[in-house]
Amino acid sequence: MTELLAQYGLWLIFLVVLAEQLGLPIPAMPLVMLAGARVVDEPMYGVFALLVAVAASSLGDLAWYVAGRLQGHRVLRLLCRISLSPDTCVRQSESTFTRYGIATLVIAKFVPGLSTIAPPLAGALGMRPSAFMLFNTLGAVLWAGAALVIGLLFATQIEAVLDALAELGAYAAALVGVLLALYIGWRWLERRRALRQLQSERLAPEELLAMLDRGDAVTVVDVRSGLIVDAEPVRIPGALSITLEQIDAHAHRLPKDGVLVTYCACPNDVSAVRAALKLHAAGLRHARPLRGGIEGWQAAGYRVEGVGASSLSGGSVLAGDSSP
């Protein structure tokens, strides 16, 4: 890596940082730290490395922001297909945005998973481009600056580690490769297990509609976060609005008889599944997640209503309100 940095310099930093921000599993921070260690001998190199890293990071983030702006939550589903564990990161990112607002972009690069999810989520939530670029660039400066400073402060130790790895040669590369393969394999198995759980007991939109038309006792619960509801303020007619974080506190208020259907607007319906599992734990064993969430319901051509509609306080969905 040191030889590559010496040969290709700032171009290598630009390409690696850009690749990481676009979603490839390439850790860019160690390379930026190596550049920081080089600042000991070339002080101006740190300035150029900072500018290049920030430019590459901002370019990759801008691409995801535009994708989120144009495609909404569909781009988050794409991330779920190519990443190891973004299903939960999406919801965690929504919670972080709810808690910290636009300042989330400043800390995103220091939080695993959030770094990739935050830009498209900001676009999907309709954040203004000027605000996104300002706070996202500030976050990139802090991230790259921190890596450079760490490399500068621990230049001696970094050099010693690199020398030790160089002596080990192929053995070190093999060890790193095995550890990386074990990590990816474990995460892949965990993901497959979670996906099997997500596939079980989900209710199709047409099944829910048929139950409503028959007049079955059905309660529909919208577990989307406040930010997502603000971005798309519609719901299945009559649905109760209870976020995933509030499910435990409000479970006792939900009817114990009949079917409870939870839905979200999240990749793989992960929040709806979690809400259903929470309701199961509270003794409401008839809770089932809706396949495809609000988008699947809309794609089937079924009617939705504005979030401000009065039926939100009704308690259960009326069959006549859900006709296509």
Side-chain angles (χ1 to χ4, degrees), residues 10 13 32 35-36 39 44-55 144 148:
L10 299 176
I13 295 175
V32 182
V39 173
M44 283 302 299
Y45 187 83
V47 176
F48 295 131
L50 177 64
L51 294 175
V52 168
V54 170
L148 289 169

Side-chain angles (χ1 to χ4, degrees), residues 48-235:
F48 295 131
L50 177 64
L51 294 175
V52 168
V54 170
S57 178
S58 299
L59 183 61
D61 290 341
L62 181 61
W64 280 120
Y65 169 81
V66 172
R69 188 90 173 184
L70 297 177
Q71 299 296 322
H73 271 65
R74 286 187 290 273
V75 74
L76 300 180
R77 287 193 173 88
L78 171 63
L79 285 174
C80 281
R81 294 190 184 98
I82 65 177
S83 185
L84 290 174
S85 60
D87 299 338
T88 54
C89 287
V90 170
R91 186 67 192 203
Q92 291 170 357
S93 300
E94 292 175 4
S95 299
T96 306
F97 266 102
T98 301
R99 185 178 306 169
Y100 300 109
I102 199 171
T104 301
L105 294 171
V106 178
I107 64 172
K109 288 181 171 43
F110 295 94
V111 182
L114 184 59
S115 177
T116 304
I117 295 293
L121 184 57
L125 293 174
M127 185 178 293
R128 295 194 311 273
S130 58
F132 170 79
M133 289 304 299
L134 174 62
F135 284 87
N136 190 72
T137 301
L138 178 58
V141 170
L142 292 177
W143 170 79
L148 289 169
V149 170
I150 292 173
L152 175 61
L153 294 177
F154 295 95
T156 303
Q157 291 82 353
I158 290 174
E159 184 176 353
V161 170
L162 291 175
D163 289 341
L165 290 175
E167 291 180 5
L168 292 175
Y171 295 105
L175 177 61
V176 171
V178 169
L179 292 176
L180 182 61
L182 289 175
Y183 171 75
I184 293 176
W186 173 72
R187 295 301 295 270
W188 183 82
L189 289 174
E190 286 291 303
R191 178 169 171 76
R192 294 300 303 172
R193 181 190 61 79
L195 286 176
R196 283 196 298 269
Q197 184 183 37
L198 290 172
Q199 292 293 337
S200 66
E201 297 190 1
R202 288 195 297 178
L203 194 69
E206 57 271 20
E207 293 179 276
L208 174 59
L209 181 65
M211 295 170 66
L212 296 170
D213 286 342
R214 288 196 304 266
D216 296 348
V218 181
T219 300
V220 181
V221 182
D222 182 346
V223 301
R224 293 176 297 168
S225 68
L227 281 173
I228 300 304
V229 173
D230 290 341
E232 188 176 7
V234 296
R235 63 158 185 257

